[in-house]
Amino acid sequence: MGDQLEPDFIQALEHRPKSGITEAKGIPLIDLSPSINSSKSDDLANLVAEIGDACENWGFFQVINHGVPLEVRERIELASREFFALSKEEKKKVSRNEVNLFGYSDFEITKSVRDWKEVFDCTIENPTVIYASDEPDDEELKELYNQWPEYPPDLRNAKTDIQITGTHSLELRITERSVTWLFKNQTSFMRLNYYPPCPAPQLALGLGRHKDAGAMTILAQDDVGGLEVKRKSDGEWIFVKPTPDAYIVNVGDLIQVWSNDKYESVEHRVTVNSQKERFSIPFFINPSHSIWVEPLEELINDQNPGKYKGYSWGKFYATRKLSNFKKLTSENIQHFVLVHGSGHGAWCWYKLVPMLRSSGHNVTALDLAASGIPTISDYFKPLMDFMDSVPKRERVILVAHSSGGLAVSRAMEKFPEKIYAGVFITALMPGVSLNISTLSREALQINYST
Ligand SMILES: O=C(O)CCC(=O)C(=O)O
Ligand SMILES: [Fe+2]
């Protein structure tokens, strides 16, 4: 991240933010004071009904008068600002890695495109227990610990602060059973999000469209704004206007399954802007690794059969946490190398190149050698030189058109360890029993007879 937008941050056309803002007048604003001040069962029942409606119609709502002291929030927000203002070198001392799954990262990817953001994750139970592998039958567990930067010291205190937030989320009066699930050996964690000013906010997103995988998220956003929610009724992206000292609450995938689709986990995303930095703090409420997730018995019957097969939260969570480090090998961002046919040049890919780049991929369109070269090997040389230059352990996708297939086949024989896949688009494809001259002769015959 810097003052230029690298291609891996560029969103496909249909996912780029719109220029106008549609404000979320409809996102319910719920006053939680009855849950703190009132012992009248009617007041509480009304509040529960209000929350139920919001979950059903929006999957998102904001709460005010929640009882979380303002100074607690301000303390975490200040610590977050101070942490992200440190040098990259300092922040990277607490980087997330294969051993420490919590900590700092500036490499978040959502749906194969990089997010314009930095994050710092810390867990609530320290240690948090998860499965050691994503293998379904492997019962081995591992413990995850927090790592803290030396500065700011207040970041360490975030844990106490979060517990206050957690206790208050209990006030939402979810069923007793869910509360036990949520807070016993929870895998909940808190994330500090930092979205720096972006040089091309019309092309990138701070966080790509996604749904939260856990039970529920409670989010504090600052006054800059950028969160957008996909309205259930029409699929429109709605801006969530910051409300002072409010928390945004949203249903995650687990509640969608438990409620057998009564409450839906809704897509949301974050836009960035060129002037202002933005901070937000989501608190992801997740159950224990041992929880088996399936529609709640009391909600299913013959008329309303279960819509989901059960799954292990722990295995899902382990796959997700451990895959962050597989992603870092750029598995999701491909490098396409385009090889033209005879009489063409790199120019012929002019429509495809921007499409691939806008999906976040790297693209190289090569020119093979021009006229006057003595042998076919000279003609292929630009591709061979390129393949030589691909670093060890990196792999590219070669795409051939027409006679470009000859060059790509040769490269595949010579550099198999550097090639992820070969794509032949109406291209010549020589093989063990089909040499170049036979192929060329056949191709010419087809051309002349059509
Ligand atoms: O920054 C925000 O407003 C939203 C963050 C979010 O959706 C997430 O971290 O999952
Ligand atoms: Fe989210």
Side-chain angles (χ1 to χ4, degrees), residues 171-213:
E171 301 295 348
L172 297 178
R173 298 261 192 273
I174 319 155
T175 64
E176 297 261 340
R177 183 173 150 189
S178 304
V179 171
T180 316
W181 276 343
L182 290 177
F183 291 98
K184 197 162 173 260
N185 302 325
Q186 59 188 309
T187 52
S188 303
F189 69 101
M190 183 178 82
R191 167 166 288 179
L192 306 178
N193 280 318
Y194 167 51
Y195 305 94
C198 174
Q202 70 286 7
L203 300 179
L205 286 170
L207 173 54
R209 79 206 143 90
H210 68 284
K211 297 176 180 181
D212 293 346

Side-chain angles (χ1 to χ4, degrees), residues 193 195 207 210 212 219 227 268 270 278 280 282 284:
N193 280 318
Y195 305 94
L207 173 54
H210 68 284
D212 293 346
L219 174 94
L227 175 63
H268 51 288
V270 176
R278 174 176 182 265
S280 74
F284 299 105

Side-chain angles (χ1 to χ4, degrees), residues 102 121-126 128 144-146 159 188-190:
F102 294 105
D121 290 341
C122 59
T123 176
I124 309 306
E125 297 285 342
N126 197 34
T128 284
L144 303 179
Y145 290 87
N146 276 322
K159 187 172 179 281
S188 303
F189 69 101
M190 183 178 82

Side-chain angles (χ1 to χ4, degrees), residues 380-400:
F380 295 161
K381 192 165 180 298
L383 176 59
M384 301 307 151
D385 289 348
F386 175 84
M387 291 306 304
D388 255 337
S389 75
V390 173
K392 265 196 189 145
R393 285 192 291 278
E394 261 182 41
R395 296 200 293 165
V396 298
I397 296 181
L398 293 181
V399 182

Side-chain angles (χ1 to χ4, degrees), residues 203-259:
L203 300 179
L205 286 170
L207 173 54
R209 79 206 143 90
H210 68 284
K211 297 176 180 181
D212 293 346
M216 194 164 78
T217 306
I218 301 181
L219 174 94
Q221 68 165 336
D222 68 11
D223 58 1
V224 174
L227 175 63
E228 292 185 341
V229 172
K230 198 167 186 177
R231 186 160 54 197
K232 273 178 75 175
S233 56
D234 57 2
E236 187 76 23
W237 285 107
I238 305 292
F239 177 71
V240 181
K241 197 171 164 201
T243 304
D245 197 25
Y247 287 92
I248 297 161
V249 181
N250 66 286
V251 166
D253 294 348
L254 294 186
I255 288 190
Q256 174 161 351
V257 175
W258 283 329
S259 73

Side-chain angles (χ1 to χ4, degrees), residues 18-34:
K18 309 185 295 273
S19 40
I21 279 182
T22 315
E23 270 182 26
K25 290 208 180 56
I27 283 192
L29 186 66
I30 297 180
D31 183 346
L32 285 187
S33 44

